[in-house]
Amino acid sequence: GNSVTQMEGPVTLSEEAFLTINCTYTATGYPSLFWYVQYPGEGLQLLLKATKADDKGSNKGFEATYRKETTSFHLEKGSVQVSDSAVYFCALSNDYKLSFGAGTTVTVRA
Amino acid sequence: GAGVSQSPRYKVAKRGQDVALRCDPISGHVSLFWYQQALGQGPEFLTYFQNEAQLDKSGLPSDRFFAERPEGSVSTLKIQRTQQEDSAVYLCASSVGGASYGYTFGSGTRLTVV
């Protein structure tokens, strides 16, 4: 079956630091890969996605590249802001269902 | 509406009580999903509707859980004879199609069974 493993948190960073959240997956076929973000008090929001190998998804300064050879989809941002404090979820889908990782809590301090 | 609306936002139920959770998807979104999110975990799939048809209910944890979407718009997730292990956040999401289009999630209903 499908599964997603992501870096355990919590992660605490200073503003302008570099952020990486590791995500690896197990899936049949060629899934689409996603990062969702949950800001405090809000619902899950799609941050970025990639639908095939070597695709790079990007949004709001975040990037992730679909690496089929390492079954990974690591999230990166070069310079975080306090407003990036949130819970980040890696997810995959072969069809209509999403399979999520456990989430990584990121706190950015001024 | 502009987003997916869920109500109530919080629900406290006594063990054994029945509860009903409501989801108003984005108008025109044919796909509707329910997920269950336990504390500190990622969301887990419960069920999927395409318009009024429930195409997948494989994630419903027991026959105490029932979902419906009779007119292809608003959906209700019902839990009968609630148990403590049902305590979780229940998330509804809608989409114009499958997951690759991206889901729009509601803010969820936090159910606490005491």
Side-chain angles (χ1 to χ4, degrees):
Chain A
N2 294 341
S3 69
V4 176
T5 303
Q6 63 181 102
M7 188 169 113
E8 284 189 23
V11 174
T12 302
L13 301 165
S14 297
E15 218 167 15
E16 299 182 4
F18 184 86
L19 171 67
T20 300
I21 305 176
N22 290 339
C23 171
T24 57
Y25 67 90
T26 302
T28 54
Y30 304 97
S32 296
L33 303 175
F34 307 84
W35 278 98
Y36 277 80
V37 59
Q38 189 168 34
Y39 298 104
E42 298 184 17
L44 280 162
Q45 301 174 24
L46 178 63
L47 180 60
L48 54 84
K49 67 179 182 182
T51 57
K52 61 182 188 299
D54 300 325
D55 268 3
K56 178 186 283 187
S58 61
N59 186 24
K60 298 183 180 180
F62 290 89
E63 292 184 340
T65 301
Y66 190 142
R67 301 287 187 201
K68 187 170 180 295
E69 63 277 11
T70 54
T71 61
S72 66
F73 193 55
H74 305 321
L75 183 68
E76 297 181 336
K77 185 172 185 181
S79 177
V80 294
Q81 305 299 313
V82 172
S83 57
D84 294 324
S85 298
V87 183
Y88 293 82
F89 292 92
C90 186
L92 69 82
S93 178
N94 286 110
D95 43 38
Y96 49 84
K97 273 190 258 195
L98 282 170
S99 298
F100 287 89
T104 302
T105 300
V106 173
T107 302
V108 180
R109 293 186 172 164
Chain B
V4 176
S5 178
Q6 291 187 246
S7 60
R9 189 71 191 268
Y10 303 94
K11 176 70 179 177
V12 178
K14 291 185 178 178
R15 194 169 58 177
Q17 190 177 359
D18 296 350
V19 298
L21 313 180
R22 178 187 168 102
C23 172
D24 270 289
I26 291 175
S27 178
H29 278 193
V30 298
S31 299
L32 185 144
F33 310 84
W34 284 97
Y35 283 76
Q36 181 190 57
Q37 186 176 16
L39 189 64
Q41 300 297 316
E44 295 279 346
F45 172 81
L46 293 178
T47 188
Y48 161 53
F49 289 87
Q50 188 175 89
N51 295 307
E52 68 279 4
Q54 188 175 23
L55 299 186
D56 187 341
K57 55 181 181 179
S58 63
L60 296 176
S62 77
D63 59 8
R64 296 186 295 104
F65 287 71
F66 172 76
E68 60 184 6
R69 193 186 186 197
E71 296 176 359
S73 177
V74 171
S75 177
T76 304
L77 177 66
K78 297 179 179 177
I79 309 173
Q80 297 177 323
R81 304 181 303 281
T82 52
Q83 304 295 315
Q84 278 195 315
E85 62 263 28
D86 300 335
S87 295
V89 176
Y90 291 86
L91 297 171
C92 177
S94 69
S95 175
V96 295
S100 62
Y101 290 89
Y103 292 4
T104 302
F105 280 88
S107 296
T109 295
R110 182 178 296 278
L111 173 65
T112 303
V113 181
V114 297

